[in-house]
Amino acid sequence: MVRDNLLADMKSAILGETKPLDLNFVYGKAEGSKFIPIDGQQRLTTLFLLHLYAFYNDSSKTKLLRNFSYETRTSSRDFLEKLTENRAAVFSSKLIPSREIEDSEWFVLSWKYDPTIQSVFIMLDKIKETFEDVENLDQLLTDQESEPIAFKFLDIDDLGMEDSLYIKLNERGKPLTPFENFKARLIGRLQKLQSTLTDDFEQNFDREWTDLFWSKSWKNFDQTYLAFFSGLLMNAGFFENEANWSNTLDYDKIGEEVFGTAFYTLNFLCQNPDNNEVHQLVFNALKEKRTYQDRVLFHAVTTYLFHAKGIDTGSLRKWLRIIQNLTLNSQIDQPVLYRRAINGINSLSENWNDLIEYFSRNGNVTGFSQEQIEEERLKAQLILQSVDFAEEIYKAEQHPYFSGQVRSALWYSKNGVGKYDKDSFVRYWDKISSLFERGKPKHGHLLRQALLTYGDFTISVGEYKTLCVDDPNEAASTPSLKRLFSNHGNVVKCLLDELDTISDIRSQLEDIVNKATLPKIDWRYCFVKFPELFKWMSVSHLRLRKVGDELLIIPNKSSNGYNYEVFSTALHYALKQQGIRSDLESELGTWAIRYLRSMEHKVKFKNGKFIVIDAKDIVVLKTKTDDPIAEATHHLLKL
């Protein structure tokens, strides 16, 4: 960890175990007796806190230590002043510093939510843990001869900006980091624009915004800060590939809209620390494994805040709700689909303050699933028509499995005269929601078995068909149960009509399966009677394939490998229940398991019948009934 490594290096240098520690370059401005750092605030703050600890029993140093001021927010500045005055009580306590501070009379409860103070808490606890066994720390730290910790000061006014800054630092053997270089060039571009935002942008960049990113990701502070601008610029179309983007970017093409978007977004995040939804949408797009959907939702946030000048006018939640529903329920997993979704949001930006009204009237937009667009139009109309219906829709959209997609319950709630009934919607949605939890159905294959008793619910995937995977974040090639239920088909409706939310759902599903009277020549009977068949299928695909008169279980995504005929596999388990050993085997030159062998007898399933062949290749049985599995089992039991 960066923090642990820095403190460990400081300790080693102070104890003389290693050479003096060079904290590298810190550049800023010297104004009279004041030094205002433009970069390196984290290193300097850590050094200040270490001095607070080293001199916590020396009151003569209080005046000197109070010269350090963190001018991010009034709360940060006031806290550091109080900490400096009360450092003796803080560090002499048996409690860890953060706990002692929180329990102190001078501590203001609201300070807990200041990201600067949160970061200081973490560092104070670690400093005490690291240095509490070091004797005479104050003397060692300020030893004039050894100078265990030092940094080099570079005046920004002497260095200039952009490339000249990079070159002059490089001449000293310490080139700027990618983030520092980007920041210098970005600010240089802003100054050329002579924007009214320039002064506030520069100050916030190194104060409030720095605290924000430090509090969110102090381990990877620079990378996260840089990722914010990478996402902003990529969404704006400045580049399609992030590789080495900050060095290849044409900074002269960056206009005021980009700076305004960054300014209003970051200020909103700083001023609204409790808005967890917006914070999450932004920082999800800054993580290393961000998805195209993360980028699109990030664009939704920044687009709104740019147009709203960083203020939630009361429509932010309404805007985000619809964009989230569209994004999370559309396939956005390729660059071209991502760009279409970005353009779709841009086309909606004029309606940032009244998106529900816009969708209720028209809702024309491209770049997202047409089915989801239609759903949002319908919901917008119902929401504006009825406050009660709106509350039920909002509540249903919170289900983590469906991510705002509730159209099946709406469809089923439509009455004979084309009206949507709120109470009917609630009843159907309660049943649907009781079957699923985050990321999966609650009752797994039992739900599929119950559905199969009402009909063939499989969805075609090219030459295959699938029993629908669990994961709602499906790939385009593998439909999920979320897709099945959102298609509002008759099989799903039959199951829902049979269920009630008062009794135990699992017991009801088991009862449906146990009482099923499927034709025993129907492949669905095999899965309902022998759930072990699901074990032969990949949970990521759950595929079947019809080949001639055979239905094959496909263990993986495609049939390029061993595949298993459904009835033969079911017979294998029927024989196992009777204590009869059997082995599934393939014919020479084929991948499909074409028969099973039991007691030297070969058993094949063809044209709806089992054919039993003895060791002399003589047919000893060809089933005749409509229950071929039971008939074949009965015959083999007699051998």
Side-chain angles (χ1 to χ4, degrees):
M1 294 168 57
V2 176
R3 179 195 63 214
D4 294 349
N5 292 338
L6 176 60
L7 293 179
D9 291 343
M10 285 181 166
K11 183 176 182 180
S12 296
I14 289 170
L15 294 176
E17 298 172 351
T18 59
K19 294 180 179 179
L21 178 63
D22 182 359
L23 295 180
N24 295 328
F25 290 91
V26 174
Y27 61 98
K29 299 179 181 179
E31 295 182 355
S33 61
K34 293 183 179 180
F35 166 50
I36 303 174
I38 302 300
D39 187 67
Q41 293 94 325
Q42 284 71 44
R43 286 169 286 163
L44 294 177
T45 300
T46 300
L47 194 57
F48 165 70
L49 295 176
L50 179 58
H51 279 77
L52 275 188
Y53 177 70
F55 292 95
Y56 75 87
N57 272 329
D58 188 346
S59 60
S60 66
K61 296 294 190 294
T62 300
K63 183 177 180 180
L64 175 64
L65 292 169
R66 289 189 66 176
N67 287 331
F68 184 94
S69 181
Y70 212 128
E71 296 285 348
T72 54
R73 283 172 292 275
T74 302
S75 58
S76 303
R77 181 172 63 252
D78 293 345
F79 168 74
L80 289 180
E81 289 180 359
K82 289 293 185 180
L83 175 63
T84 301
E85 294 173 3
N86 296 279
R87 65 187 185 279
V90 170
F91 290 117
S92 61
S93 173
K94 294 181 179 180
L95 300 175
I96 59 174
S98 60
R99 178 63 63 81
E100 173 62 30
I101 292 170
E102 289 183 346
D103 291 345
S104 300
E105 293 182 357
W106 56 267
F107 184 73
V108 179
L109 185 60
S110 62
W111 288 352
K112 290 177 63 175
Y113 305 103
D114 184 319
T116 300
I117 296 173
Q118 293 171 356
S119 299
V120 168
F121 274 2
I122 296 171
M123 189 59 76
L124 288 175
D125 291 346
K126 194 62 185 179
I127 285 175
K128 184 174 182 181
E129 177 187 337
T130 304
F131 290 94
E132 62 183 348
D133 62 341
V134 178
E135 296 182 0
N136 302 318
L137 176 61
D138 55 341
Q139 298 176 26
L140 295 173
L141 183 60
T142 55
D143 190 320
Q144 295 286 331
E145 294 184 6
S146 63
E147 292 186 343
I149 302 175
F151 64 86
K152 300 179 181 67
F153 164 54
L154 294 175
D155 195 316
I156 196 72
D157 290 335
D158 295 335
L159 291 172
M161 295 298 294
E162 294 192 276
D163 292 334
S164 62
L165 174 61
Y166 177 87
I167 293 169
K168 292 189 177 184
L169 283 175
N170 198 34
E171 288 172 350
R172 292 162 173 79
K174 293 290 183 180
L176 293 173
T177 66
F179 171 70
E180 291 167 336
N181 189 37
F182 165 76
K183 180 171 69 174
R185 300 179 71 181
L186 183 72
I187 297 299
R189 171 58 181 163
L190 179 60
Q191 292 174 338
K192 287 181 180 179
L193 289 173
Q194 297 182 333
S195 169
T196 56
L197 296 176
T198 301
D199 291 342
D200 289 338
F201 193 99
E202 286 190 61
Q203 292 178 12
N204 291 358
F205 202 114
D206 291 304
R207 296 182 182 182
E208 284 88 347
W209 302 347
T210 292
D211 276 349
L212 171 68
F213 286 103
W214 183 258
S215 68
K216 293 288 186 178
S217 181
W218 57 266
K219 293 182 181 179
N220 301 292
F221 163 76
D222 282 9
Q223 296 94 317
T224 306
Y225 211 150
L226 198 60
F228 174 86
F229 284 95
S230 169
L232 201 67
L233 291 163
M234 186 171 177
N235 285 344
F238 281 85
F239 49 83
E240 295 294 332
N241 190 330
E242 287 186 292
N244 199 34
W245 68 270
S246 62
N247 291 327
T248 58
L249 177 65
D250 187 347
Y251 287 82
D252 287 337
K253 290 185 177 181
I254 301 177
E256 285 206 41
E257 182 171 333
V258 170
F259 289 101
T261 303
F263 181 81
Y264 293 124
T265 300
L266 292 174
N267 280 355
F268 180 88
L269 293 172
C270 291
Q271 294 162 9
N272 297 272
D274 297 329
N275 193 324
N276 295 326
E277 179 184 21
V278 173
H279 277 258
Q280 185 174 1
L281 290 177
V282 169
F283 284 91
N284 278 348
L286 310 186
K287 61 188 180 182
E288 185 176 354
K289 295 183 179 180
R290 50 192 173 267
T291 66
Y292 284 123
Q293 287 185 330
D294 292 331
R295 295 179 186 276
V296 171
L297 294 175
F298 174 81
H299 188 60
V301 172
T302 59
T303 297
Y304 178 94
L305 292 175
F306 170 75
H307 286 280
K309 298 296 185 287
I311 299 172
D312 181 1
T313 65
S315 59
L316 176 58
R317 174 84 280 279
K318 299 174 184 178
W319 163 270
L320 289 178
R321 175 190 149 267
I322 291 180
I323 302 298
Q324 280 182 290
N325 288 347
L326 292 172
T327 302
L328 297 177
N329 294 295
S330 299
Q331 182 189 345
I332 308 175
D333 55 2
Q334 299 174 26
V336 64
L337 300 177
Y338 149 72
R339 185 52 60 188
R340 287 175 185 170
I342 292 294
N343 291 337
I345 292 176
N346 291 341
S347 71
L348 292 173
S349 62
E350 292 182 359
N351 304 283
W352 63 272
N353 206 30
D354 61 349
L355 196 58
I356 290 181
E357 289 79 0
Y358 173 73
F359 265 84
S360 71
R361 299 189 306 269
N362 189 338
N364 281 337
V365 61
T366 59
F368 300 98
S369 161
Q370 191 60 41
E371 289 179 323
Q372 194 62 37
I373 293 171
E374 293 295 336
E375 179 180 329
E376 296 309 317
R377 287 173 179 160
L378 172 59
K379 289 188 295 190
Q381 294 166 5
L382 295 173
I383 286 169
L384 294 180
Q385 290 171 10
S386 168
V387 173
D388 291 341
F389 212 146
E391 290 180 358
E392 296 300 340
I393 289 174
Y394 294 150
K395 189 187 305 180
E397 287 181 341
Q398 298 307 306
H399 196 289
Y401 188 82
F402 290 92
S403 304
Q405 192 175 90
V406 301
R407 58 178 169 266
S408 58
L410 284 172
W411 180 271
Y412 297 140
S413 71
K414 194 173 184 179
N415 61 30
V417 294
K419 299 292 184 179
Y420 294 89
D421 181 73
K422 174 182 68 71
D423 294 334
S424 181
F425 169 77
V426 172
R427 284 195 300 273
Y428 275 110
W429 187 255
D430 285 346
K431 294 179 182 182
I432 292 172
S433 62
S434 69
L435 293 170
F436 295 90
E437 54 192 358
R438 183 179 297 278
K440 63 180 181 179
K442 292 181 180 179
H443 307 291
H445 294 316
L446 177 61
L447 174 59
R448 293 182 177 87
Q449 288 180 280
L451 286 165
L452 285 172
T453 67
Y454 293 102
D456 180 357
F457 67 82
T458 56
I459 296 177
S460 295
V461 188
E463 58 191 1
Y464 304 96
K465 57 182 183 177
T466 178
L467 289 159
C468 301
V469 299
D470 289 349
D471 188 358
N473 303 310
E474 62 187 57
S477 59
T478 312
S480 68
L481 286 168
K482 173 184 174 181
R483 172 93 66 88
L484 175 70
F485 273 72
S486 294
N487 285 349
H488 45 71
N490 188 59
V491 171
V492 171
K493 185 177 186 301
C494 288
L495 174 65
L496 295 176
D497 286 342
E498 187 68 23
L499 297 176
D500 68 71
T501 55
I502 299 174
S503 306
D504 178 67
I505 295 296
R506 172 172 285 276
S507 297
Q508 293 181 71
L509 294 175
E510 290 173 344
D511 193 49
I512 290 171
V513 170
N514 293 334
K515 291 181 178 180
T517 56
L518 287 170
K520 296 177 181 179
I521 197 64
D522 191 319
W523 68 268
R524 293 179 293 135
Y525 168 79
C526 297
F527 281 88
V528 172
K529 181 68 174 179
F530 304 100
E532 296 90 344
L533 268 62
F534 288 103
K535 297 179 181 178
W536 297 80
M537 313 174 83
S538 164
V539 295
S540 299
H541 302 290
L542 292 176
R543 291 189 176 186
L544 301 167
R545 183 183 180 186
K546 185 78 172 179
V547 179
D549 65 338
E550 296 177 318
L551 184 64
L552 304 180
I553 297 173
I554 310 301
N556 297 299
K557 183 178 181 179
S558 70
S559 53
N560 295 327
Y562 283 112
N563 309 299
Y564 302 86
E565 195 277 318
V566 170
F567 278 87
S568 296
T569 309
L571 178 59
H572 171 72
Y573 286 103
L575 293 174
K576 186 176 182 180
Q577 290 176 0
Q578 298 298 327
I580 302 175
R581 176 182 172 81
S582 63
D583 297 300
L584 293 167
E585 299 183 3
S586 65
E587 292 179 342
L588 184 64
T590 69
W591 283 109
I593 299 300
R594 301 295 183 180
Y595 66 94
L596 61 80
R597 186 176 296 280
S598 177
M599 297 178 292
E600 300 304 317
H601 285 69
K602 180 190 292 186
V603 185
K604 300 180 66 175
F605 187 77
K606 188 175 181 63
N607 297 324
K609 302 180 183 297
F610 276 114
I611 302 171
V612 182
I613 305 171
D614 66 14
K616 297 179 181 180
D617 285 336
I618 298 174
V619 175
V620 296
L621 174 70
K622 182 180 287 187
T623 58
K624 300 176 181 179
T625 68
D626 290 334
D627 190 357
I629 294 175
E631 189 176 352
T633 301
H634 178 72
H635 177 81
L636 292 171
L637 273 171
K638 295 190 300 183
L639 298 177

